[in-house]
Amino acid sequence: MKKLFAILSLLISLGTLAANGEIYIALTNFPAQGPVVDSFRYKLANFKDDDFYFDVEKGKVKFTNKIGDKEEKVDSRYSVWMQKQPADLVFIVPGLGDHYRNSQAALLAEAIYNAGYSVAIISNPFCWEFTQSALTSMAPGYTRSDAKDLYHHIARVLDDINEEHPGKVKDISIVGYSLGALQAAFLTRNDVIEHRLNIKRYVLLSPPVNLIYGLTTLDKYYSIWKNWDAVTLTNNRNMAVGFYKGYSYGALQTDTYLPVTEEQASFVIGFMFRMSLGDVMKKIIERHPMEIFGEVSSWKQQEFEKQLERYGYQRYVDTFLKEAHPTIFATSEPFKHVNGICSLPAMANELRQNQNIVCLHTADDFLLNDYDRNWLRRQMGDRLVMLDHGSHLGYFCMPQALDIIVKLVKGEAVSGPRPATAKPTYTYFDAYLRQMAAAKQGQAQQPKQTTTAAPATPTVQTTTAKPAQPATQTTVQTAKPVQPATSANQNEMTMTVVKKDTSGTPVIVSNPTTPPPAPQTDVIDGRKVEWRLMPDPADKATLKMQQVDVESGLLWEEYQAKTKAEAEAKAKKIAEKALADAEREREAKEREEKAERDMIRNAEKAKAETLEATKKSEKAKPKKTVEEVKKTVSKNVKKGGSTRGDVKVESIVPEEEKGE
């Protein structure tokens, strides 16, 4: 009995270890700046080959959709890239508000297609295009209903692909990211019930665990502007939106420094998702007019737009989703109830039991908290791959992450370097970020000096300096400079610097038994960096081993500062151009709308004037006397016509009857 109990205990402990054994990988060379800014790199991610994106086959499915008691004929579009030979087909479900022509989804499609798969992309159910065409409920957001519509739509698209490419599709897999990953997890239950797709593998990329927490976080980011005065709001909005447009246009590289603060990044992320929500609400109201918005006409469009701007995600849930699904809100705690049945924990059994579900997430995703991450580890065990950096989808720009995603699609084992720390650290431009924070508080920090000087004499100064180490850069390929074996301390190098009284130029006197070491070259961020004995920037009379960029001859810190300044200047120029273009587009649109309104107003005015003139003309006509009217009637009757005033109407009596 004791032996049996020991075996059971061992099995339970092994199960517990497996449940917590996620694969934790360091995303090497990722230029981490903070969770929100890092998420911006999602917009930098783009397909590698322009021909791939533009050679897409644009599909369209036509069907009859029942919305409430009404039926309507609709069509919905998708993108597809087919292999020449029969292959598995991977459906990509993008994130919140994303369209089937989303360039980041195309980046995933390109990587998966190059691995030998056919790939199709459809719009997310919480996108205006899907809401307009394939959604059966009034409003998206109720994950169970959205997943059901998504499943049926994928089945329709699959039928269309099979009709166009008979015999080319083998098995079906699903890759969903962000909200699309949450919806993909819910598809498992639909597939078990209906068996229309028989999905082989589910790859979930950065799914939100707690749906309402994720949506309210976006609301919180957008509301940051309420803490700003008018000038700060204008400046931050212009800078953030300008940078956002610059990234979207592909003007900046994926490994560049992003000259935007966490606060600005938070605002622009919230702003862009708020615009996406507005597009969805417009389509909902087009299909289902709501009394609270009144009649939406071209004359009231601006007022309608302002009304929608006041709706965040939480208010959307409380208004639109509540009207679409009144029964699920008929509880004492409706938000808690909705969150419980629409979030990932509702699929806990499927996540634990279905070995074909795999997940990729990051340790610094701002849409997750520590409880959410631990919950994922417990449910998925080693089917969860956790990256130390990348935030929410920011890792899309990294080839290493794309390779991991492709391996997950293939069902292959995933491995990589283990992070040095349990929690993500931000070392890329870390000093710059600290200075920004210190400057904001009015407490600018001074860089610490690493040189240790011996007591000085009037003419001689002796320094004992260690070679400066790279500031925790993960891209350094080689170790610190090798010191001569003859040195008294192999980790130090001693030399004397003598100042001339006349010019102050330092003269080096080295210990004759300790010859200077040969230059040691490192490679940092793809550039050759050499350790050299150089004057200390803080004290030119003191020499110490420092890193020098070989090509430019600048100290590495100076080269980094120069590069950062150039990147900021370039980004600012791009932002200013993007803002100017956007302003010109806005002004042109306003002029067009004004011209259209003026044309309609002038047409209606001309119509009213014509009508008024006609009325005046009728009134101005002289009235006939009774005798004149009688004569006219008598004249018409004699001619075989009608008695209707001045208008002569020919008789329609047949000729034979006239003869009689």
Side-chain angles (χ1 to χ4, degrees), residues 131-417:
T131 300
Q132 176 180 262
S133 60
L135 199 73
T136 59
S137 66
M138 171 190 159
Y142 180 39
T143 315
R144 292 177 182 274
S145 176
D146 293 352
K148 187 176 182 180
D149 288 342
L150 178 64
Y151 186 83
H152 292 161
H153 187 56
I154 291 175
R156 282 191 292 263
V157 172
L158 178 60
D159 290 342
D160 190 61
I161 292 174
N162 281 329
E163 185 176 340
E164 292 292 324
H165 305 276
K168 289 295 184 67
V169 177
K170 296 168 72 175
D171 291 323
I172 304 297
S173 290
I174 304 289
V175 174
Y177 62 83
S178 191
L179 183 62
L182 174 63
Q183 294 156 346
F186 275 74
L187 290 182
T188 58
R189 193 167 293 172
N190 297 101
D191 203 37
V192 168
I193 295 171
E194 300 191 34
H195 293 291
R196 293 179 64 182
L197 299 177
N198 296 314
I199 299 170
K200 177 182 178 181
R201 182 168 288 273
Y202 302 82
V203 180
L204 315 181
L205 307 177
S206 299
V209 173
N210 183 319
L211 179 61
I212 299 298
Y213 174 80
L215 295 179
T216 52
T217 297
L218 297 179
D219 283 342
K220 180 180 70 175
Y221 285 170
Y222 176 75
S223 299
I224 285 176
W225 67 267
K226 295 179 181 178
N227 301 325
W228 300 334
D229 56 45
V231 175
T232 305
L233 171 60
T234 301
N235 292 339
N236 282 342
R237 180 189 60 200
N238 291 346
M239 183 187 299
V241 174
F243 283 141
Y244 184 91
K245 287 182 177 292
Y247 305 149
S248 299
Y249 297 153
L252 298 178
Q253 299 299 314
T254 57
D255 59 350
T256 189
Y257 170 73
L258 307 187
V260 60
T261 65
E262 287 273 297
E263 192 175 45
Q264 292 166 340
S266 300
F267 170 71
V268 76
I269 287 174
F271 175 79
M272 291 304 168
F273 276 108
R274 183 65 65 90
M275 296 302 101
S276 174
L277 176 62
D279 292 338
V280 171
M281 289 190 291
K282 289 175 191 174
K283 292 301 176 183
I284 294 172
I285 296 168
E286 283 180 14
R287 299 165 77 223
H288 301 274
M290 299 174 68
E291 292 183 6
I292 57 174
F293 292 100
E295 183 180 354
V296 181
S297 63
S298 59
W299 297 101
K300 296 183 178 179
Q301 190 66 32
Q302 191 172 6
E303 181 184 339
F304 174 60
E305 297 276 356
K306 288 183 178 179
Q307 201 171 357
L308 289 182
E309 287 177 7
R310 294 194 287 269
Y311 277 77
Y313 283 96
Q314 186 164 351
R315 190 174 180 186
Y316 168 85
V317 171
D318 197 32
T319 304
F320 287 82
L321 209 58
K322 186 175 183 178
E323 184 161 337
H325 304 280
T327 56
I328 68 171
F329 280 83
T331 61
S332 57
E333 296 180 287
F335 276 95
K336 185 175 180 181
H337 176 65
V338 171
N339 197 42
I341 61 179
C342 292
S343 296
L344 205 56
M347 303 300 295
N349 289 335
E350 285 79 358
L351 293 179
R352 282 195 300 268
Q353 298 170 10
N354 192 334
Q355 298 299 306
N356 294 321
I357 303 176
V358 293
C359 180
L360 174 66
H361 232 302
T362 65
D364 60 348
D365 192 320
F366 60 80
L367 293 183
L368 297 188
N369 53 40
D370 288 340
Y371 176 85
D372 295 338
R373 294 184 185 89
N374 290 328
W375 183 88
L376 272 174
R377 292 185 184 102
R378 291 195 301 271
Q379 309 309 315
M380 304 204 65
D382 59 4
R383 287 179 289 115
L384 170 65
V385 178
M386 190 73 75
L387 303 177
D388 64 336
H389 285 111
S391 187
H392 191 69
L393 306 178
Y395 54 84
F396 270 31
C397 68
M398 304 298 292
Q400 179 189 0
L402 293 178
D403 290 342
I404 291 173
I405 293 170
V406 169
K407 286 184 177 180
L408 292 176
V409 173
K410 290 182 175 180
E412 296 178 355
V414 175
S415 61

Side-chain angles (χ1 to χ4, degrees), residues 65-96:
N65 198 359
K66 187 173 182 180
I67 303 173
D69 297 330
K70 298 184 298 183
E71 287 189 353
E72 60 180 6
K73 292 184 178 180
V74 296
D75 60 74
S76 186
R77 300 176 184 273
Y78 63 92
S79 298
V80 64
W81 293 264
M82 295 297 296
Q83 298 285 349
K84 294 181 180 179
Q85 301 299 325
D88 287 0
L89 175 61
V90 177
F91 279 93
I92 295 178
V93 184
L96 177 64

